[in-house]
């Protein structure tokens, strides 16, 4: 039986990883500041902060694999302590264990603004905001930790689920403001990726070992429906609604407006490549249609 440690196990992706590992018969340990009642009884809960070394020691004691999903997403004042220093302390203790796999959940946002139309893992990173900068600094810590294990860094695009719908708020709310955004930005990529697919990619490399430190973009941007317009119309169709958008502005219109007000960004015509992770043998279970269908079914329960 594998013993697995997870940080950020109450988060969108960490919770799915925990559930899948428990169902697979693994002994799962999680680090959290939440109440114990938030987790099933068959999960070992270590009540601690990511910066508490005693808590981290308890979490990592005897583990075979580590999934580091914890991150501060909202409070900028806490991002460095959680995203960077927490990662630094976790790596320090992880290096003393016999674990053979370390997975770090990063973000494609670390790449920062770019004028490129097609982005791969080989692009230089120029993170823009505090969150992106701290996630990239954490990536560098992971890469330079010299862990004696297989290390995987995942960079998902815009992760959505039935509870965190992201750009799906446009067809769900469907007011005049939302429709205007679709008319204006409809041809732009939505960059959505289903949370289950991100969790599956993390688990894929637990079973399919790739030696050394490897970074992968987790994206379905190659799906033709992964645009603002495509997602809006698909969601309406799947939910048996008649509302459709028949006309949207050309892609250059929002692109020019954004450049005037914000400069280059990761929006617009940018597409993120999934070729590297696919070459390793990973297959995305949920494309855009299946992703939206799952969310429609769950929200209609």
């Amino acid at each position: 039986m594998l013993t697995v440690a997870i940080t950020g196990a109450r988060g969108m992706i960490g919770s799915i990883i925990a559930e899948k590992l428990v169902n697979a018969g693994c002994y799962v340990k999680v680090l959290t500041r939440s109440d114990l009642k938030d987790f099933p009884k068959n999960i070992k809960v270590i009540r601690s902060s990511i910066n508490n070394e005693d808590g981290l020691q308890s979490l990592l004691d005897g583990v075979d694999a580590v999934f580091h999903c914890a991150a501060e997403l909202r409070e900028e004042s806490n991002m460095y302590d959680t995203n960077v220093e927490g990662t630094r302390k976790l790596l320090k203790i992880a290096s003393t264990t016999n674990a053979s796999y370390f997975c770090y959940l990063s973000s494609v946002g670390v790449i920062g603004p770019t004028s490129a139309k097609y982005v791969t893992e080989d692009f230089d990173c120029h993170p823009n905001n505090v969150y992106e900068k701290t996630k990239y600094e954490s990536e560098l810590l992971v890469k330079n930790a010299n862990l004696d294990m297989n290390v995987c860094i995942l960079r998902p695009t815009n992760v959505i689920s039935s509870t965190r719908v992201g750009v799906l708020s446009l067809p769900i709310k469907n007011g005049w403001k939302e429709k205007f955004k679709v008319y204006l930005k409809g041809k732009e990529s939505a960059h959505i990726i289903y949370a289950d697919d991100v969790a599956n990619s993390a688990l894929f490399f637990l079973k399919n070992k790739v030696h050394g430190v490897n970074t992968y973009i987790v994206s379905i941007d190659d799906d033709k429906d992964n645009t603002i317009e495509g997602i809006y119309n698909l969601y309406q169709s799947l939910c048996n609604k008649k509302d459709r958008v028949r006309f949207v502005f050309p892609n250059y219109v929002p692109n020019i407006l954004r450049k005037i007000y914000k400069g280059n960004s990761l929006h617009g015509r940018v597409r993120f490549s999934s070729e590297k992770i696919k070459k390793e043998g990973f297959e995305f279970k949920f494309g855009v249609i299946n992703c939206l269908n799952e969310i429609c079914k769950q929200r209609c329960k």
Side-chain angles (χ1 to χ4, degrees):
M1 177 190 296
L2 281 178
T3 299
V4 181
I6 306 173
T7 70
R10 283 191 70 235
M12 184 165 38
I13 298 167
S15 60
I16 298 172
I17 292 174
E19 180 181 4
K20 288 178 180 289
L21 286 171
V22 168
N23 291 340
C26 298
Y27 178 54
V28 177
K29 302 166 73 176
V30 302
L31 186 82
T32 183
R33 291 174 295 179
S34 305
D35 292 334
L36 303 186
K37 64 182 180 181
D38 292 335
F39 295 93
K41 292 182 180 179
N42 53 355
I43 289 180
K44 173 67 175 178
V45 179
I46 289 87
R47 188 89 179 273
S48 173
S49 159
I50 188 72
N51 284 295
N52 185 299
E53 293 193 14
D54 289 336
L56 291 173
Q57 190 69 59
S58 297
L59 174 73
L60 298 180
D61 184 39
V63 301
D64 300 297
V66 182
F67 292 85
H68 182 26
C69 306
E72 177 57 56
L73 304 174
R74 297 178 181 84
E75 296 294 331
E76 287 191 358
S77 59
N78 296 331
M79 286 180 182
Y80 188 83
D81 280 348
T82 300
N83 300 347
V84 179
E85 290 305 318
T87 299
R88 191 191 310 276
K89 291 174 181 176
L90 180 71
L91 289 168
K92 176 184 175 182
I93 297 173
S95 67
T96 67
T97 71
N98 293 320
S100 60
Y101 178 62
F102 188 99
C103 178
Y104 176 59
L105 186 65
S106 185
S107 166
V108 78
V110 301
I111 294 168
T114 178
S115 59
K117 294 182 181 180
Y118 194 67
V119 174
T120 70
E121 292 84 353
D122 295 328
F123 271 55
D124 291 336
C125 293
H126 302 284
N128 194 36
N129 59 44
V130 177
Y131 175 72
E132 293 167 357
K133 289 177 180 178
T134 56
K135 292 299 283 184
Y136 183 55
E137 188 169 345
S138 299
E139 276 195 16
L140 295 178
L141 289 174
V142 173
K143 289 179 179 178
N144 296 320
N146 295 317
L147 296 176
D148 187 19
M149 57 185 83
N150 298 323
V151 178
C152 173
I153 298 171
L154 299 178
R155 292 176 176 172
T157 50
N158 296 336
V159 186
I160 66 170
S161 70
S162 60
T163 56
R164 297 184 185 179
V165 296
V167 73
L168 273 185
S169 63
L170 297 177
I172 290 171
K173 293 180 180 178
N174 205 29
W176 71 265
K177 290 183 180 179
E178 287 74 30
K179 288 182 180 178
F180 177 75
K181 289 180 180 179
V182 179
Y183 294 139
L184 179 62
K185 303 192 294 183
K187 293 297 183 184
E188 293 192 336
S189 176
H191 304 302
I192 67 165
I193 183 77
Y194 196 41
D196 276 70
D197 265 337
V198 181
N200 288 339
S201 69
L203 295 169
F204 174 83
F205 290 107
L206 174 63
K207 297 177 182 178
N208 301 272
K209 305 199 180 292
V210 180
H211 297 297
V213 180
N214 293 277
T215 302
Y216 300 96
I217 291 174
V218 187
S219 161
I220 53 171
D221 279 7
D222 56 354
D223 190 316
K224 64 180 178 60
D225 293 316
N226 203 348
T227 64
I228 304 297
E229 177 190 20
I231 286 168
Y232 180 90
N233 287 336
L234 265 177
Y235 187 85
Q236 299 291 3
S237 176
L238 291 168
C239 293
N240 298 314
K241 297 180 180 180
K242 296 181 179 180
D243 214 357
R244 302 286 190 281
V245 167
R246 308 295 181 186
F247 166 82
V248 295
F249 284 100
N251 205 15
Y252 67 81
V253 175
N255 193 44
I256 290 173
L257 291 173
R258 186 176 291 108
K259 279 190 175 182
I260 291 171
Y261 291 103
K262 294 184 177 181
N264 288 330
S265 71
L266 287 178
H267 298 85
R269 295 171 291 177
V270 178
R271 296 292 186 273
F272 294 101
S273 171
S274 57
E275 288 304 309
K276 184 177 179 181
I277 196 169
K278 286 179 178 178
K279 284 181 179 178
E280 299 290 4
F282 179 72
E283 297 180 359
F284 291 90
K285 180 180 179 182
F286 299 90
V288 171
I289 293 178
N290 289 336
C291 167
L292 268 60
N293 195 40
E294 284 294 312
I295 292 175
C296 283
K297 288 191 296 185
Q298 293 177 39
R299 290 184 66 85
C300 292
K301 284 182 179 179

